[in-house]
Amino acid sequence: MKGNEALAEAAMRAGCKCFFGYPITPQTELAAYMAKRMQKNGGVFLQAESEIAAINMVLGAASTGVRAMTSSSSPGISLKSEGISYIAGSDLPCVIINVERGGPGLGGIQPSQADYWQATKGLGHGDFHLLVYAPASVQEMVDMVINAFDKADTYRMPAMILADGLLGQMMEPVTFPEVEPKVYDKSSWAADGHKGQREHHIINSLYLTPEALEKTVVDRFAKYDIIKEKETDAECYLTDDADIVVCAFGATARVVKSAVNEAREQGIKVGMFRPKTLWPFPVKEICKATESASKILSVEMSMGQMVDDIKLAINCSKPVEFFGRTGGVIPTPAEVLAKIKAMGGNN
Amino acid sequence: MRKVTVITGHYGSGKSNISTNLAMEAAASGKKVTVVDLDIVNPYFRTADFKDMFSENGIELITPSYANTNLDIPALNFDIERIAKSDGYLIVDVGGDDDGAVALGRFSAGLKEFGDELDMFYVINRYRYLTKEPSEAVELMYNIEAASRLKHTAIINNSNLGCDTVAETVISSLDYAEEVSKSVNLPIVFSTVPNSLSLDDNRFKGIEIYVKPFWER
């Protein structure tokens, strides 16, 4: 299946009943697939008049307790950012998919990872975080979408799948796990009709006093601390004896893996560390994976947006270098290998 | 090989890889070949990716002006009919589904004039999610014919699971292909198997896998 289709199918299997979207390359196949299948699955597909409308429809649907999703690509996610902030401020679960393309501005339609900062640090105004998952294969897109819906419900917060155009357009074989959607008790907050039997449930992100607002934010951050402790995930590849550890996420990790394999064949001790969660960043995992390393290299399809998170995670205990291409250009295994060698990667 | 070969199918069925194989084989046997990338749907992974390989093998490649650029505009600045009338053989790699076949419809009147010199092959893949059932593959074929205003002449069974393809994958697709073929009353040109599997079975035609992520090339 194509990555974009797999994301859509996985969402439906995870019990997503509402999809609101607006077309944009390179994620349009996702919405097209939803348009064909969602209704047959007993759900709602709606092509909104804009990205802003779509994200606010997600806010409305999520308020009633149903599983809702939207998807877009970089410029469209920027348009959704106000709504995402409102969703976070209303403690609503939902899944947002970003199949990244080149930026800033209208940018281009080729693959990119230059929305790392936006996803992990600045997706909307105010103090809040999203859960951010970074798949590196079509299979992982499936698994992560299913997991993202569960974690969003568990923590009552939005979750994002940060993919890129390469993954969205790529064809790979996938297996769909049998999903028995877990039941989450939303009866204490879902605005799904009180039928004169209970008080109104009010979904809101406006607070009349600063103290009340401060308390909700502080409570939310206490929840974030638990998430940082429990929800990190990463893949370590040949890091045990590595002198250089190359960090990469998403499709770039596929390129890096080829480069690492080639380097190993030449006797260079190099490994790869791949964060699967970008927020929370896998701090414990990277510290362990880089124990034997003297140097770290971050490879990204951007100007190096993950570099500072790596430095913070390891407390600047080792030099962190960067190699990347941006604007829709994809780094090649040969370029990554050359950089590893330039860093003195040796036996 | 007929003068004009049109390749259609579900997106992701392997149309570009089939087109590339046919072109490389024809060029290797000394034929003058032109490939037209008529894909107005896919932003990447398309025949336009093989520009250098084609030029090294003397194959002419004609692509939409903005293929592989950042301009998301399905503009065609060439006339297939005129290209088809010139010397040599023409292979047309059409975009996926009936959406992609709309672009082909623009040239249907001119292409019909080629009569018996025109082949239109429908590429099927049993493992593609939305054409797993023969009935789904049949429905899509007729949708493509409606959009392109042309009729298929045969089917190519390109059932595969990408890099996970093994002998059993292709062997267990034969019944499926047979059923599609019977339903639409069209012959199967061939069923494919990747050359890398070295499968010694005359029910299959070996093909090279050109379309794959560049980090595996």
Side-chain angles (χ1 to χ4, degrees):
Chain A
M1 274 181 109
K2 207 167 190 171
N4 284 332
E5 298 172 322
L7 288 166
E9 180 64 31
M12 283 188 277
R13 286 174 183 242
C16 173
K17 287 294 174 207
C18 292
F19 176 87
F20 308 106
Y22 188 80
I24 182 169
T25 304
Q27 70 73 58
T28 300
E29 294 85 357
L30 197 167
Y33 191 95
M34 285 288 194
K36 278 188 188 134
R37 309 287 274 208
M38 189 53 128
Q39 240 142 352
K40 289 178 190 160
N41 267 336
V44 174
F45 163 85
L46 200 147
Q47 181 173 318
E49 69 270 31
S50 71
E51 286 88 349
I52 297 169
I55 192 68
N56 284 297
M57 289 173 187
V58 169
L59 193 158
S63 298
T64 70
V66 303
R67 287 192 158 179
M69 183 168 104
T70 186
S71 71
S72 193
S73 179
S74 309
I77 296 293
S78 292
L79 283 167
K80 289 180 199 286
S81 65
E82 182 199 41
I84 293 171
S85 172
Y86 277 61
I87 289 170
S90 307
D91 294 312
L92 292 173
C94 70
V95 172
I96 300 148
I97 299 206
N98 183 1
V99 182
E100 293 165 278
R101 57 187 248 182
L106 202 48
I109 62 170
Q110 301 295 324
S112 163
Q113 296 180 316
D115 301 348
Y116 178 95
W117 281 333
Q118 185 193 46
T120 58
K121 301 184 175 25
L123 197 36
H125 58 280
D127 283 321
F128 77 93
H129 283 295
L130 279 87
L131 295 158
V132 183
Y133 298 95
S137 67
V138 178
Q139 183 64 52
E140 218 169 54
M141 285 171 136
V142 168
D143 300 337
M144 282 185 175
V145 164
I146 295 167
N147 182 49
F149 272 106
D150 276 329
K151 296 303 175 191
D153 273 340
T154 303
Y155 296 106
R156 264 184 80 183
M157 64 187 285
M160 172 175 274
I161 305 292
L162 190 68
D164 57 70
L166 204 53
L167 289 165
Q169 294 296 325
M170 205 160 85
M171 298 279 305
E172 280 187 317
V174 285
T175 309
F176 286 97
E178 285 303 320
V179 191
E180 199 56 60
K182 286 182 205 144
V183 180
Y184 292 84
D185 181 9
K186 301 177 181 178
S187 62
S188 65
W189 60 268
D192 54 356
H194 57 77
K195 302 183 182 73
Q197 302 293 307
R198 59 161 168 78
E199 290 298 303
H200 289 275
H201 286 164
I202 296 168
I203 304 294
N204 178 42
S205 63
L206 170 70
Y207 293 85
L208 296 184
T209 65
E211 290 75 16
L213 175 56
E214 183 188 50
K215 185 180 181 314
T216 63
V217 174
V218 169
D219 288 351
R220 212 171 278 135
F221 271 69
K223 177 171 77 180
Y224 294 158
D225 284 340
I226 297 170
I227 294 169
K228 282 194 221 171
E229 194 55 44
K230 287 173 67 176
E231 299 297 343
T232 54
D233 197 8
E235 177 197 357
C236 298
Y237 182 68
L238 305 177
T239 50
D240 285 350
D241 64 340
D243 180 42
I244 295 174
V245 169
V246 187
C247 296
F249 65 95
T252 308
R254 305 286 287 269
V255 175
V256 166
K257 206 173 234 182
S258 288
V260 165
N261 288 338
E262 178 61 32
R264 283 276 172 178
E265 273 177 29
Q266 297 181 21
I268 303 169
K269 281 189 177 158
V270 55
M272 180 183 79
F273 179 78
R274 175 170 74 89
K276 294 186 191 177
T277 53
L278 300 181
W279 194 89
F281 194 78
V283 174
K284 297 185 293 280
E285 291 87 344
I286 196 172
C287 288
K288 187 161 186 310
T290 55
E291 265 169 8
S292 70
S294 66
K295 286 178 186 165
I296 296 169
L297 169 66
S298 184
V299 179
E300 304 170 52
M301 285 193 278
S302 73
M303 292 303 285
Q305 300 191 4
M306 186 169 63
V307 172
D308 288 347
D309 278 348
I310 298 170
K311 286 183 182 170
L312 280 173
I314 61 162
N315 221 352
C316 292
S317 58
K318 287 162 188 176
V320 181
E321 295 196 23
F322 170 72
F323 177 76
R325 303 295 302 265
T326 195
V329 185
I330 306 162
T332 65
E335 288 171 342
V336 176
L337 183 60
K339 175 67 185 176
I340 290 168
K341 286 184 172 171
M343 284 170 70
N346 51 42
N347 323 348
Chain B
M1 188 180 196
R2 293 183 179 176
K3 180 143 176 70
V4 180
T5 306
V6 177
I7 306 289
T8 74
H10 190 14
Y11 65 89
S13 58
K15 295 177 301 300
S16 297
N17 199 55
I18 294 288
S19 304
T20 306
N21 270 274
L22 293 178
M24 292 291 279
E25 275 171 31
S29 70
K31 293 188 173 80
K32 179 179 182 300
V33 190
T34 304
V35 173
V36 169
D37 176 352
L38 198 61
D39 194 338
I40 55 160
V41 179
N42 254 349
Y44 6 112
F45 298 123
R46 47 191 302 155
T47 34
D49 294 349
F50 305 108
K51 204 169 132 195
D52 295 343
M53 184 179 81
F54 282 168
S55 97
E56 281 160 23
N57 288 278
I59 299 166
E60 192 181 350
L61 174 68
I62 296 170
T63 64
S65 337
Y66 303 115
N68 284 349
T69 74
N70 275 331
L71 215 48
D72 208 359
I73 294 175
L76 301 175
N77 58 334
F78 48 78
D79 181 357
I80 290 190
E81 195 184 336
R82 198 178 329 157
I83 300 164
K85 279 181 177 157
S86 62
D87 282 355
Y89 294 83
L90 172 66
I91 295 168
V92 184
D93 183 19
V94 182
D97 289 0
D98 40 334
D99 300 329
V102 169
L104 183 62
R106 150 79 180 77
F107 304 105
S108 63
L111 287 172
K112 272 180 195 153
E113 286 175 23
F114 285 86
D116 284 349
E117 278 303 296
L118 170 71
D119 258 329
M120 179 150 126
F121 296 148
Y122 177 51
V123 179
I124 55 174
N125 179 359
R126 172 190 172 175
Y127 303 100
R128 268 299 270 146
Y129 200 72
L130 297 176
T131 53
K132 266 174 21 188
E133 296 302 323
S135 60
E136 293 174 306
V138 168
E139 190 189 341
L140 178 62
M141 191 190 100
Y142 289 136
N143 288 345
I144 289 173
E145 292 190 350
S148 66
R149 287 170 269 152
L150 288 165
K151 296 276 183 210
H152 290 96
T153 56
I155 291 165
I156 292 174
N157 174 21
N158 189 48
S159 293
N160 73 87
L161 269 171
C163 54
D164 288 358
T165 308
V166 294
E168 183 50 32
T169 315
V170 294
I171 290 166
S172 60
S173 75
L174 291 171
D175 290 347
Y176 162 89
E178 202 58 49
E179 202 175 324
V180 176
S181 160
K182 268 188 201 143
S183 302
V184 298
N185 201 23
L186 287 176
I188 298 168
V189 198
F190 51 76
S191 292
T192 65
V193 64
N195 284 333
S196 57
L197 291 184
S198 311
L199 181 70
D200 188 18
D201 185 331
N202 58 15
R203 291 175 296 176
F204 295 96
K205 173 187 166 65
I207 56 164
E208 290 299 320
I209 307 300
Y210 296 107
V211 180
K212 56 183 166 188
F214 70 89
W215 59 83
E216 289 169 11
R217 270 176 214 159

